[in-house]
Amino acid sequence: MCYVNRFCQYIANRCPRRFVQIVHPLSAFAVLSCIAFFFCLQMFYIAPKVFNDLGYKLYWIFFTFITHNILGNMLACYMTSSSVNTLSKDSQSPAPEEEHLWHKCEVCKKLSPPRSWHCVLCNTCTLRRDHHCIFIGNCIGHNNQRYFFWFTFYSTLGLLISFATLCMYVLQNGGHFKKLSFMIVDLISQIFSQPHSGNNFETLVLLLNISASYMPGFMLAYQMQILRQNSSYYKIFDCTYDLGFRKNCQSIMGQRGLWTFVSPLLKSPLPHDGARWQTKKSQ
């Protein structure tokens, strides 16, 4: 992910408008297509052959819950701005005793709060900027990091469950662990050749599942570290703002903390507007 972001940032610095016009829609389309593909595959082909009637109904409820959270958090993350411009007029300028904590943005030509940085793609300074996500089409920052965290969490969870259900399908239809292990080895060593065992469809779906799991799983690992220390992507191990896990959760998730896993529709006000930050030392 680090190299992807650096490459995207390199391209964006040279042609930001064209980059936004081309890459964001394509990335969003790829994500939505992946969600639709795995949902239809699981619910209409794999799950009916793996579970009985009651199990299938429960699987429908559970997978619908996951899909709701993936799509809902993705949309909320896109619709929620973390721009410095979202601050009230009183908060857009520092108090005299805090002026030394703010820094001047050479692009915006004005003072920006601590932990905020300019995004060349959004063309604005972002509060507690984490990174710019090409798949969401928006900057991830103070106001929408909650949604991004749960988007990566449920995307990873959904793909892991999809992979597990596919393995169950293979095992229930004449397969065995040895056959399954051969199929997974084939994905790594002979992607474009004839598999040793199993049919091409099963192998192709396993390949797509594993490949699709990489990006959200990698992003989720970063987000868990950020949540643990209240840091950000470019300063992943910075402990300056680490106030303990409970307060870190509230700083990112809002007053309801980890209960926001229920739904992106659950209201959870953030403890402050993102202009003033308590540090570990001051605590």
Side-chain angles (χ1 to χ4, degrees), residues 146-200:
R146 158 203 169 177
Y147 304 115
F148 185 76
F149 179 91
W150 292 121
F151 167 69
T152 59
F153 174 84
Y154 280 108
S155 296
T156 305
L157 178 63
L159 288 166
L160 288 176
I161 293 174
S162 175
F163 179 77
T165 309
L166 181 60
C167 291
M168 292 171 62
Y169 168 77
V170 172
L171 296 174
Q172 289 182 10
N173 287 273
H176 45 78
F177 284 104
K178 185 177 180 180
K179 171 185 174 180
L180 188 60
S181 64
F182 266 115
M183 291 175 65
I184 296 175
V185 169
D186 284 339
L187 299 180
I188 300 172
S189 61
Q190 296 184 352
I191 293 175
F192 300 106
S193 63
Q194 185 70 22
H196 294 138
S197 58
N199 62 52
N200 289 330

Side-chain angles (χ1 to χ4, degrees), residues 24 30 41 69 141 145 161 165 185 194 203 219 224 238-239 243-244 266:
H24 283 175
L41 177 72
N69 274 282
Q145 184 136 23
I161 293 174
T165 309
V185 169
Q194 185 70 22
T203 306
M219 291 190 293
M224 291 178 70
D238 182 16
C239 298
L243 306 178
L266 183 67

